[in-house]
Amino acid sequence: MKRLAGLSALALIISSTSGCGWIWGPEGYFRDRGSDYLEAQPSQPMQLPPDVTVAKRLDPLLPIPRNVADDTAKGEFEVPRPQPISAVADASDYSLQKSGDSRWIMAQRPPAEVWPVAVQFFQDNGFRMDQQRPQTGEFTTAWQQPSELSATMAKRLQAGGVAGDGETRIRVRIEPGVQRNTSEVYVVSAQRPAGSTADVDFTTRSVNTGVDSALVDEMLASMSRISEKGGSVSLLAAGSFDTPSRVSLSEDGSGNVVLNLGEDLDRAWSSVGRALEQGQWRVEDINRSLGLYYINLAEKAEKKDDEPGFFSKLFGSAPTKEEVETRAERYQVRLSKVGDSVQVTVEKNINTVAPAEVARKVLGVIQDNLG
């Protein structure tokens, strides 16, 4: 019946468009009403009966501002063009971040753009590349003495505590930032005495903070200069930075499917949120304090530009709230901190885990969309 009414209304509109003046003209139903306020007339203020008293003075609900055009203005009003925003010096794409003794670089660019800039800095200062893994955002330099490097870099390393005949190598890791299209650059050095052939492993945290701080400072200045000239993009680094060692799909001791993320909870929360938004379901709600995303597998993802058109509204093609509730398939995606990593699980509710096939489907899509 609703569809028939819609068709009848459409037929009426089509049959009546031979003369469109009554629709779009100055007196038409859909005329522009933007200047109607110019014809508005002031009305008398509200008057109370003399025997009525109020505790609070009655002021106009919508007073007319004083800085408007006078009431003698006639004709159609034209909205003035907005004034251009005053130019402000752009902040650098690269900034220094500190936490205790740790220092790293925050880049307002995706890893694929940061990678070639970072590599160029070390090559320009005389470092030889030993290993490069752009897919995981990591490269290391070969063992070298300060005398093999640029004069500026040699002085900075020696000032940081490297002996003149000692050897140093560097590991740089470029990770996706918490926010989309940002990166974090971490630098760790390793030293060994002259004549030694020991393969000293890199530590997870800076040991020689003087050397690492000097490298980060020099690198920050260089990357800022290079970015002003325009950079390139590494297609290999544009791939996923989440290697199997950092993201893995497995089962826990009870046989439930879990997704393991080798990163901190804040970054995991942001990454999983972006991955869910790219899925074929709808994210209906979130609870950051509990680490929960609420999804509905029966509904497609909402898009800001996906407004129903005129005919969709006319024929009532949008599902009703009752229809949405009837076919709903709601689950919750939970993030839990476990040691140095984060576990992602899918639940029907707080007391019931999701069926294995549902959990594997959802977590598999999240794993594919991470990166």
Side-chain angles (χ1 to χ4, degrees), residues 6 18 32 35-36 40 50 59-60 67 86 104 144 146 159 184 192 195 207 221 251 262 274 282 292 294 296 350 359:
S18 56
D32 182 10
S35 300
D36 282 6
D59 294 322
N67 59 341
S86 58
W104 68 94
Q144 292 177 261
E184 297 175 1
R192 68 183 183 186
V207 175
E251 295 183 358
R274 292 198 299 265
R282 179 172 299 176
L292 290 175
Y294 299 90
N296 187 348
I350 192 172

Side-chain angles (χ1 to χ4, degrees), residues 350-370:
I350 192 172
N351 298 316
T352 309
V353 298
E357 62 273 13
V358 173
R360 191 170 296 277
K361 171 188 175 182
V362 173
L363 296 178
V365 173
I366 293 175
Q367 183 182 26
D368 293 339
N369 292 339
L370 283 173

Side-chain angles (χ1 to χ4, degrees), residues 20-62:
C20 296
W22 68 274
I23 298 179
W24 307 109
E27 303 299 327
Y29 184 78
F30 294 108
R31 66 180 179 82
D32 182 10
R33 291 176 167 78
S35 300
D36 282 6
Y37 75 96
L38 294 174
E39 305 298 329
Q41 299 297 322
S43 59
Q44 293 296 325
M46 179 182 294
Q47 300 292 330
L48 293 176
D51 58 339
V52 175
T53 58
V54 293
K56 182 179 179 181
R57 186 181 66 179
L58 295 178
D59 294 322
L61 181 62
L62 298 173

Side-chain angles (χ1 to χ4, degrees), residues 5-323:
L7 290 173
S8 301
L10 178 62
L12 179 62
I13 292 173
I14 295 175
S15 63
S16 305
T17 52
S18 56
C20 296
W22 68 274
I23 298 179
W24 307 109
E27 303 299 327
Y29 184 78
F30 294 108
R31 66 180 179 82
D32 182 10
R33 291 176 167 78
S35 300
D36 282 6
Y37 75 96
L38 294 174
E39 305 298 329
Q41 299 297 322
S43 59
Q44 293 296 325
M46 179 182 294
Q47 300 292 330
L48 293 176
D51 58 339
V52 175
T53 58
V54 293
K56 182 179 179 181
R57 186 181 66 179
L58 295 178
D59 294 322
L61 181 62
L62 298 173
I64 300 175
R66 295 182 178 275
N67 59 341
V68 298
D70 57 53
D71 58 1
T72 61
K74 302 296 181 182
E76 184 177 357
F77 176 74
E78 294 185 4
V79 179
R81 294 181 62 86
Q83 296 295 322
I85 299 176
S86 58
V88 179
D90 294 332
S92 174
D93 288 341
Y94 300 93
S95 59
L96 181 65
Q97 304 293 312
K98 299 180 182 179
S99 178
D101 292 335
S102 300
R103 298 160 65 94
W104 68 94
I105 296 174
M106 171 63 72
Q108 301 301 319
R109 297 192 175 200
E113 296 183 20
V114 178
W115 172 272
V117 180
V119 171
Q120 181 178 343
F121 163 74
F122 283 93
Q123 291 178 335
D124 289 348
N125 281 279
F127 289 93
R128 298 191 303 270
M129 293 295 134
D130 181 34
Q131 294 181 344
Q132 297 189 58
R133 293 182 291 276
Q135 295 88 345
T136 60
E138 184 176 287
F139 64 84
T140 59
T141 66
W143 288 106
Q144 292 177 261
Q145 295 182 352
S147 58
E148 302 176 66
L149 308 177
S150 66
T152 301
M153 182 57 62
K155 291 180 180 178
R156 294 303 297 267
L157 293 184
Q158 290 174 345
V162 176
D165 54 354
E167 292 184 324
T168 302
R169 67 170 179 169
I170 313 298
R171 183 185 69 186
V172 177
R173 179 158 184 89
I174 305 170
E175 299 182 356
V178 174
Q179 297 180 345
R180 186 185 297 273
N181 291 330
T182 64
S183 307
E184 297 175 1
V185 185
Y186 298 90
V187 179
V188 177
S189 64
Q191 288 81 36
R192 68 183 183 186
S196 174
T197 58
D199 189 15
V200 180
D201 291 332
F202 291 105
T203 57
T204 56
R205 292 180 174 271
S206 297
V207 175
N208 193 333
T209 55
V211 174
D212 296 349
S213 297
L215 287 168
V216 169
D217 292 341
E218 288 292 329
M219 190 176 181
L220 176 62
S222 175
M223 295 174 87
S224 298
R225 288 194 300 268
I226 294 174
S227 68
E228 293 175 358
K229 301 177 183 178
S232 57
V233 176
S234 169
L235 296 180
L236 289 175
S240 172
F241 275 70
D242 293 308
T243 62
S245 61
R246 296 186 63 207
V247 178
S248 62
L249 195 62
S250 60
E251 295 183 358
D252 61 12
S254 302
N256 301 315
V257 183
V258 298
L259 185 66
N260 299 292
L261 307 181
E263 53 190 7
D264 60 75
L265 187 57
D266 288 335
R267 186 176 289 109
W269 173 262
S270 176
S271 300
V272 171
R274 292 198 299 265
L276 285 171
E277 289 175 358
Q278 300 173 30
Q280 62 270 35
W281 44 67
R282 179 172 299 176
V283 179
E284 294 185 329
D285 199 3
I286 63 174
N287 189 322
R288 178 65 180 85
S289 60
L290 296 179
L292 290 175
Y293 286 97
Y294 299 90
I295 62 175
N296 187 348
L297 301 185
E299 302 297 326
K300 293 184 179 180
E302 290 181 324
K303 296 181 180 178
K304 295 180 180 179
D305 299 331
D306 254 0
E307 290 292 333
F310 172 76
F311 291 105
S312 296
K313 294 179 179 177
L314 183 64
F315 299 134
S317 60
T320 63
K321 184 177 180 180
E322 291 74 17
E323 291 173 337

